[in-house]
């Protein structure tokens, strides 16, 4: 395919941005789709860099059995036979699927139909269990079904937006930018987050609450609104049940603002300001995301937020709603189709009426009789030998699940593991007995559903490479080989979608999830399908739910549910006195299998780090920019220390993205305890007791080569790989002696061309080597036991040149470009390559706003993901100027 523009959807977060792609061969020019109602042409840094991720390097392009290539017929037959035999010997609950929000809706539907309809087990769960499960349960308890009431237009119309555990500036930057215009007219932002994130930095009010005190804060708000007479008594009387019980429960605790502020660890004046603004602002939207959901109290946090909106009638109205923002591009599609172990399909549960209905529709005799195992329970069952065959689709649980070392052990012990993925090497793929090549973004063809229930087409940009196939087809072929061919006899994704749409409308008397009119789409209409929000009626989509005050409960009333504030699932103690919080960074996604292919996305946050407050760092002897050891009861990691007052004292933060291939010592999730919310099964990623110590490395170094390398066996080094344009940068640190450094040097020089250019200062512990292949740079190694190493940027740039100049060669072992200033300031704008020093210079020259800085430097003028950081630099610079003037 080449030439024309193809309208598709972004594969990253739950915003669901439209993308206009122009393919040419395997190259891709990317822009935002100006006609798509989710983003109106905007893209974030990740979406803007999609063109750098569509190459075929590292792709899995043929089925693999063990270590040998196999045909599809052989691989399909083997998977079907092993699953059949396992089921025959041990029952249907001895097998499981672990799937992903990266799947399209058609893929999700096929996988769920096979497991719950024809294998007869509920053991299919999704990595959405890690991000949205608590919101799902809260929605079901309050509304009767997993229903997101709001839409993005509400963010335009709201006068107050509350971000509860939601760093939107980094995780959903296009939505965050969408609110800029509303802020210009006076929209206020309140951020509830222990960390002073970029979202908090530019907010009107930041409440840096103590970890796991969210329920206390929201309950306190509800009690205060009741005291002030700011509840909507008429709405409660007409549309809400359970208010009296919630009010009575609140009365059992001291709900005074002073008590709430003390328990939450926030200034009383700031808490009262929040209470005032909420009471005075009918058009209020409360966004909640991972900070609320990823908790052993995640359901209670969600319900506490929903209680406030129900009691004030701020739901189903323009600019007023509680709004759970999803993390993945099709987490919603998985929730709809039954990709979670706790639902059957189409927002139907495992009651006898629903089971019989789904069995009739599918023509299935053995529909699963009960919910299956949630993600953590599933991998525990694998470790215990209860699950003996596992199929992982489009996800990387060896990295992403908590207590990941235990997960790896479970995968290693499982008798039969199948992994279908687009990449040949992931941490999870290493445990696969059978590897199945799936299509990647740009090759897939189907639909996704975003956070506002909007269905969009993800269209094919490239022909399928090698023998890679669509996930739905892989699943259907295995189902056919297991004896269910007639039920999975699809030839196109449009056929799968139409069947799914028919199911949502089948015997549907009261379910709000309905795609009825879409069940009759012709192939041409499916191809041309425009974004549409469900429920879909004959007149089109539905922007917001509950406008009539009717909910999907037996009596049509919403339910307010009593929520009790509790402490963390695992408390800190003298052995582990710090609370570890994990999360995302701005330019990376999940486990780097896609963003790790784009060097520009690796520049803002190039390596793992641990963020901690200066008071904690000073007490522990940890220095900013040095390596630190982070330990929990589950494991240990080593990461770069970032000492900052943006982190609350007593707490630390680590990003979760890095893997065995990028930074084996810097992986965060092996540290995380597998505590879960007892109702949702969602893990507690936001609070694990930890301790931090200085790593105290004795030497550091870096190695740049055209290909990636791994540390030789037997060397206990901390290393990180950072992709660059045309080469790979490897950073090393160790605590050994000269023998350790020499062992590494010999390993990294094997196979190099000729003798190196070399400089060594034994007294200073410094070694620098460079290898040339002809006139081009092939490898470079710098190590030192003291002093600073040169910046890596210029050396990395040399790998893009066919031949070095005489000046380049002369400066090579110095590590700095002759006649050029050294650029060492942190990168701020990945799109335009603008560093903090250039932004600082623009501010000093008079650029006092983000737009002014953008005009001068170009930073923030593309995707805008860096605009909050630019605003922070402006505020810091102006604050310094004020102090200096005083």
């Amino acid at each position: 395919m080449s030439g024309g523009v193809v309208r598709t959807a972004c594969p990253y977060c739950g915003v669901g941005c439209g993308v206009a792609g122009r393919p040419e061969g395997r190259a891709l020019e990317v822009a935002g789709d100006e006609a798509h109602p989710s983003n109106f042409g905007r893209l974030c840094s990740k979406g803007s860099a999609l063109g750098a991720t569509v190459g075929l390097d590292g792709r899995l392009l043929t089925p693999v059995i063990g270590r040998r290539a196999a045909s599809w017929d052989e691989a399909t037959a083997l998977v079907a036979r092993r699953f059949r035999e396992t089921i025959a010997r041990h029952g249907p609950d001895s097998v499981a699927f672990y799937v992903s929000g990266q799947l399209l809706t058609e893929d999700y539907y096929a996988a769920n139909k096979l497991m719950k309809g024809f294998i007869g087990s509920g053991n299919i769960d999704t990595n959405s269990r890690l991000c949205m499960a608590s919101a799902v349960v809260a929605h079901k308890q309050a509304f009767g079904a997993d229903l997101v009431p709001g839409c993005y237009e509400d963010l335009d119309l709201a006068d107050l937006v509350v971000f509860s555990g939601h760093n939107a500036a980094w995780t959903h930057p296009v939505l965050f930018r969408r609110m800029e215009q509303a802020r210009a007219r006076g929209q206020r932002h309140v951020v509830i987050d222990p960390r002073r994130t970029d979202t908090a930095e530019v907010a009107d009010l930041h409440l840096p609450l103590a970890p796991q005190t969210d329920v206390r804060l929201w309950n306190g708000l509800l009690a205060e609104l009741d005291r002030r007479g700011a509840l909507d008594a008429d709405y409660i009387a007409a549309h809400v049940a359970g208010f009296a019980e919630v009010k009575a429960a609140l009365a059992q605790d001291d709900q005074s603002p002073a008590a709430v502020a003390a328990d939450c660890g926030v200034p009383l004046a700031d808490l009262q300001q929040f209470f005032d603004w909420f009471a005075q602002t009918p058009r209020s939207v409360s966004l909640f995301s991972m900070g609320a959901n990823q908790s052993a109290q995640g359901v209670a946090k969600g319900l506490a937020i929903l209680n406030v909106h129900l009691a004030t009638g701020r739901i189903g109205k323009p600019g007023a709603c509680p709004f759970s923002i999803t993390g993945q591009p099709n987490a919603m599609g998985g929730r709809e189709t039954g990709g979670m172990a706790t639902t059957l399909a189409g927002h139907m549960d495992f009651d006898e009426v629903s089971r019989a209905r789904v069995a009739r529709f599918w023509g299935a005799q053995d529909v699963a009789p009960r919910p299956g195992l949630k993600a953590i329970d599933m991998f525990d069952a694998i470790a215990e030998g209860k699950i003996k065959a596992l199929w992982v689709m489009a996800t990387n649980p060896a990295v992403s699940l908590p207590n990941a070392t235990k997960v790896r052990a479970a995968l290693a012990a499982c008798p039969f593991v199948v992994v279908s993925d687009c990449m040949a090497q992931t941490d999870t793929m290493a445990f696969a007995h059978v590897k199945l090549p799936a299509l990647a973004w740009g090759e897939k063809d189907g639909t996704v559903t975003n956070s506002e229930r909007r269905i969009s087409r993800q269209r094919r940009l490239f022909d399928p490479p090698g023998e890679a196939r669509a996930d739905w087809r892989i699943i259907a072929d295995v189902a056919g080989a297991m004896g269910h061919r007639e039920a999975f006899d699809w030839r196109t994704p449009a056929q799968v979608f139409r069947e799914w749409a028919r199911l949502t409308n089948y015997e549907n008397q009261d379910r709000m999830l309905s795609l009825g009119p879409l069940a009759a789409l012709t192939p041409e209409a499916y191809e041309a399908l425009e974004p549409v929000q469900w429920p879909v009626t004959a007149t089109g989509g539905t922007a917001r739910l509950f406008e009539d005050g009717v909910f999907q409960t037996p009596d049509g009333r919403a339910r307010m549910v009593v929520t009790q504030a509790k402490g963390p699932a695992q408390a800190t103690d003298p052995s582990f006195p710090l609370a570890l919080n994990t999360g995302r960074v701005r330019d990376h996604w999940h486990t780097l299998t896609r963003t790790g292919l784009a060097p520009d996305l690796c520049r803002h946050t190039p390596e793992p780090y641990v963020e901690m407050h200066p008071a904690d760092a000073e007490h522990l002897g940890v220095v900013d920019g040095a390596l630190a050891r982070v330990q929990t009861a589950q494991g240990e990691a080593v990461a770069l220390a970032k000492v900052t007052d943006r982190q609350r004292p007593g707490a630390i933060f680590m990003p979760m993205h890095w893997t065995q291939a990028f930074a084996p010592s810097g992986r965060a999730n092996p540290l995380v305890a597998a505590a879960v919310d007892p109702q949702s099964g969602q893990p507690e990623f936001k609070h694990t007791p930890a301790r931090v110590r200085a790593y105290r490395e004795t030497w550091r170094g870096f190695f740049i080569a055209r290909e990636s390398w791994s540390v030789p066996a037997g060397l206990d080094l901390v290393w990180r790989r950072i992709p660059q344009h045309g080469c790979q940068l490897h950073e090393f640190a160790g605590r050994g002696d000269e023998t350790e450094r020499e062992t590494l040097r010999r390993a990294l020089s094997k196979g190099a061309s000729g003798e190196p250019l070399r400089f060594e200062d034994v007294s200073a512990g410094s070694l620098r080597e460079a290898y040339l292949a002809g006139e081009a740079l092939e490898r470079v190694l710098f190590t030192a036991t003291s002093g600073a190493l040169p910046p890596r940027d210029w050396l990395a740039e040399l790998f893009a040149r066919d031949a070095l100049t005489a000046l380049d060669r002369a400066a090579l072992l110095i590590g700095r470009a002759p006649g050029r200033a050294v650029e060492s300031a942190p990168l701020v704008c990945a799109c335009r390559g603008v560093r903090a020093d250039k932004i600082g210079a623009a501010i000093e020259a008079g650029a006092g706003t983000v737009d002014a800085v953008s005009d001068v430097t170009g930073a923030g003028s593309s995707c805008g993901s860096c605009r909050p950081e630019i605003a922070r630099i402006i505020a810091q610079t102006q604050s310094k100027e004020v102090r200096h003037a005083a």
Side-chain angles (χ1 to χ4, degrees):
M1 300 179 67
S2 63
V5 172
V6 179
R7 297 176 63 208
T8 184
C10 181
Y12 287 115
C13 76
V15 175
C17 293
V19 173
R22 186 186 297 274
E24 193 65 45
R26 282 300 299 196
L28 180 65
E29 180 183 329
V30 170
D33 181 357
E34 295 182 359
H36 198 289
S38 294
N39 60 314
F40 298 111
R42 288 195 180 104
L43 290 178
C44 72
S45 56
K46 295 184 288 292
S48 298
L50 277 168
T53 70
V54 296
L56 297 181
D57 289 347
R59 288 290 301 275
L60 179 65
L61 297 177
T62 187
V64 175
I65 297 175
R67 296 184 178 181
R68 65 175 178 85
S71 68
W72 269 111
D73 286 347
E74 182 185 10
T76 300
L78 175 60
V79 173
R81 177 174 61 81
R82 289 296 300 269
F83 269 76
R84 269 199 323 268
E85 291 174 350
T86 302
I87 293 165
R89 293 173 184 169
H90 305 286
D93 288 335
S94 65
V95 301
F97 295 168
Y98 187 64
V99 298
S100 165
Q102 299 293 300
L103 294 177
L104 303 184
T105 297
E106 292 79 359
D107 307 325
Y108 256 128
Y109 178 76
N112 187 59
K113 181 179 179 180
L114 175 56
M115 178 55 74
K116 290 181 184 152
F118 290 85
I119 289 176
S121 171
N123 285 347
I124 173 173
D125 208 34
T126 168
N127 60 7
S128 298
R129 180 70 57 189
L130 311 184
C131 56
M132 302 314 305
S134 292
V136 170
V137 175
H139 288 156
K140 291 181 71 173
Q141 291 187 19
F143 306 147
D146 177 20
L147 300 166
V148 176
C151 60
Y152 295 163
E153 184 187 35
D154 291 326
L155 301 177
D156 305 329
L157 300 175
D159 296 316
L160 175 68
V161 178
V162 182
F163 300 84
S164 188
H166 183 205
N167 184 15
W170 277 19
T171 60
H172 300 91
V174 170
L175 279 189
F176 194 71
R177 285 211 68 191
R178 181 168 177 162
M179 287 178 265
E180 286 181 350
Q181 188 172 1
R183 292 205 76 188
R185 66 159 174 79
Q187 183 185 83
R188 289 188 176 119
H189 287 185
V190 175
V191 174
I192 300 170
D193 197 309
R195 301 170 61 223
R196 196 168 77 245
T197 62
D198 273 22
T199 309
E201 194 85 50
V202 297
D204 299 284
L205 179 65
H206 174 215
L207 298 176
L209 78 174
Q212 307 307 322
T213 58
D214 310 58
V215 174
R216 178 70 165 131
L217 188 148
W218 285 96
N219 280 352
L221 171 62
L222 180 59
E224 178 68 11
L225 294 172
D226 188 24
R227 272 195 299 272
R228 296 185 184 195
L231 302 184
D232 190 333
D234 291 339
Y235 190 88
I236 293 170
H239 304 296
V240 178
F243 172 73
E245 291 80 358
V246 170
K247 182 173 181 176
L250 292 178
Q252 295 175 14
D253 295 320
D254 182 356
Q255 300 292 349
S256 67
V260 174
D263 289 346
C264 295
V266 298
L268 175 59
D270 289 347
L271 185 75
Q272 289 177 321
Q273 181 68 84
F274 171 48
F275 287 177
D276 289 345
W277 284 349
F278 203 97
Q280 297 162 6
T281 314
R283 291 195 171 196
S284 301
V285 171
S286 299
L287 293 166
F288 60 107
S289 192
M290 304 308 154
N293 292 325
Q294 289 181 331
S295 168
Q297 305 168 48
V299 174
K301 292 179 182 181
L303 286 169
I305 295 169
L306 301 185
N307 282 348
V308 169
H309 277 266
L310 290 171
T312 54
R314 297 179 189 179
I315 187 168
K317 298 172 182 176
C321 66
F323 205 151
S324 164
I325 296 292
T326 54
Q328 295 190 81
N330 203 31
M332 189 74 80
R335 288 152 62 177
E336 295 159 6
T337 57
M340 303 186 88
T342 43
T343 61
L344 183 54
H347 286 186
M348 289 177 277
D349 293 322
F350 289 87
D351 57 276
E352 287 303 317
V353 172
S354 296
R355 288 184 62 244
R357 180 187 300 124
V358 173
R360 285 193 298 275
F361 182 83
W362 282 340
Q365 303 300 315
D366 299 307
V367 170
R370 67 188 73 86
L373 295 174
K374 306 179 188 78
I376 302 302
D377 297 332
M378 179 184 291
F379 282 86
D380 284 347
I382 295 169
E384 295 163 3
K386 297 176 182 177
I387 290 178
K388 303 177 183 299
L390 173 70
W391 188 349
V392 178
M393 304 178 196
T395 188
N396 199 6
V399 178
S400 57
L401 284 171
N403 201 358
T405 302
K406 180 180 178 182
V407 172
R408 289 168 181 261
L411 288 167
C414 188
F416 189 60
V417 177
V418 181
V419 178
S420 48
D421 206 313
C422 59
M423 302 306 294
Q425 295 184 353
T426 69
D427 287 31
T428 302
M429 192 67 86
F431 298 97
H433 301 98
V434 179
K435 304 172 183 179
L436 302 177
L439 299 180
W441 180 86
E443 301 150 7
K444 293 174 179 259
D445 191 19
T447 58
V448 293
T449 309
N450 74 355
S451 292
E452 62 169 349
R453 295 169 282 104
R454 189 179 299 278
I455 300 166
S456 295
R457 286 280 281 112
Q458 199 174 102
R459 295 182 174 91
R460 178 177 294 175
L461 298 162
F462 307 106
D463 292 331
E467 297 181 51
R469 291 182 177 177
D471 288 281
W472 65 263
R473 183 184 169 190
I474 298 171
I475 297 160
D477 288 345
V478 170
M482 293 180 71
H484 312 301
R485 192 169 306 281
E486 184 176 348
F488 293 82
D489 190 23
W490 305 304
R491 295 177 300 283
T492 67
Q495 291 178 315
V496 187
F497 182 83
R498 285 196 297 269
E499 181 179 319
W500 154 237
R502 287 198 305 273
L503 175 59
T504 68
N505 210 41
Y506 183 68
E507 298 180 4
N508 188 349
Q509 302 300 318
D510 55 6
R511 303 190 306 276
M512 292 190 183
L513 171 56
S514 174
L515 312 184
L518 303 184
L521 288 178
T522 64
E524 295 75 19
Y526 176 78
E527 177 58 33
L529 182 64
E530 288 293 315
V532 61
Q533 290 170 279
W534 62 259
V536 183
T537 68
T539 58
T542 305
R544 55 185 65 83
L545 305 181
F546 315 134
E547 289 182 305
D548 58 0
V550 177
F551 297 82
Q552 195 177 307
T553 56
D555 61 3
R557 288 174 171 267
R559 302 285 190 265
M560 290 181 64
V561 181
V562 173
T563 59
Q564 298 289 344
K566 299 178 181 178
Q570 295 188 352
T572 56
D573 58 32
S575 296
F576 296 102
L578 302 172
L580 169 63
N581 175 9
T582 64
R584 295 179 179 171
V585 299
R586 190 188 76 188
D587 292 347
H588 274 315
W589 175 254
H590 282 197
T591 62
L592 298 179
T593 50
R594 182 181 292 115
T595 55
L597 301 172
D600 287 344
L601 295 180
C602 300
R603 298 171 68 188
H604 182 258
T605 309
E607 59 182 292
Y609 65 85
V610 55
E611 194 175 76
M612 61 192 311
H613 190 272
D616 293 324
E618 182 179 10
H619 172 69
L620 297 170
V622 174
V623 178
D624 185 61
L627 293 175
R629 298 171 63 196
V630 184
Q631 296 173 309
T632 71
Q634 289 68 236
E636 176 178 324
V638 180
L640 191 76
K642 285 191 176 184
V643 179
T644 171
D645 64 0
R646 301 178 79 198
Q647 181 63 54
R648 184 183 175 90
I652 59 176
F653 173 82
M654 285 186 71
M656 50 74 69
H657 306 284
W658 281 269
T659 68
Q660 191 74 24
F662 287 92
S665 299
R667 294 177 291 126
N669 284 347
L671 309 182
V672 176
V676 299
D677 184 290
Q679 298 180 79
S680 69
Q682 181 156 358
E684 169 71 273
F685 283 103
K686 301 303 183 184
H687 190 283
T688 297
R691 60 177 175 241
V692 178
R693 301 287 186 272
Y695 179 69
R696 305 193 190 286
E697 62 270 26
T698 59
W699 65 274
R700 284 189 172 199
F702 64 85
F703 174 68
I704 310 176
R706 296 188 183 277
E707 62 283 332
S708 60
W709 287 66
S710 296
V711 172
L715 287 181
D716 182 20
L717 302 180
V718 176
W719 71 272
R720 297 85 74 200
R721 176 168 67 87
I722 306 166
Q724 309 287 309
H725 289 287
C727 61
Q728 299 286 327
L729 167 63
H730 307 76
E731 299 278 349
F732 300 95
R735 294 185 293 185
D737 56 14
E738 182 181 350
T739 301
E740 181 179 70
R741 299 194 298 278
E742 177 61 17
T743 301
L744 177 66
R745 186 199 70 78
R746 289 179 179 176
L748 297 180
S749 65
K750 283 184 179 179
S753 303
E755 292 297 315
L757 303 175
R758 179 183 175 93
F759 168 81
E760 185 173 17
D761 183 344
V762 176
S763 63
S766 176
L767 172 69
R768 301 182 179 192
E769 289 187 344
Y771 289 86
L772 302 179
E775 297 299 315
L777 186 57
E778 183 182 34
R779 304 177 195 177
V780 62
L781 171 67
F782 282 46
T783 63
T785 57
S786 62
L789 291 163
R792 289 47 156 174
D793 290 5
W794 178 69
L795 289 169
E797 288 175 15
L798 296 180
F799 282 83
R801 302 181 188 179
D802 295 331
L804 301 186
T805 66
L807 283 175
D808 292 337
R809 291 170 67 102
L812 194 54
L813 296 183
I814 300 173
R816 292 178 173 84
R820 193 171 90 183
V822 175
E823 295 183 339
S824 58
L827 185 78
V828 175
C829 179
C831 298
R832 300 300 175 93
V834 183
R835 296 180 179 273
D837 54 353
K838 189 174 181 181
I839 293 170
I843 297 168
E844 291 176 1
T849 66
V850 174
D851 287 336
V853 169
S854 181
D855 290 341
V856 174
T857 66
S861 62
S862 183
C863 76
S865 299
C866 62
R867 291 173 70 87
E869 188 168 354
I870 297 170
R872 172 156 47 91
I873 296 172
I874 293 171
Q876 290 171 342
T877 303
Q878 293 173 342
S879 176
K880 289 178 182 176
E881 291 173 351
V882 169
R883 289 199 301 270
H884 181 72

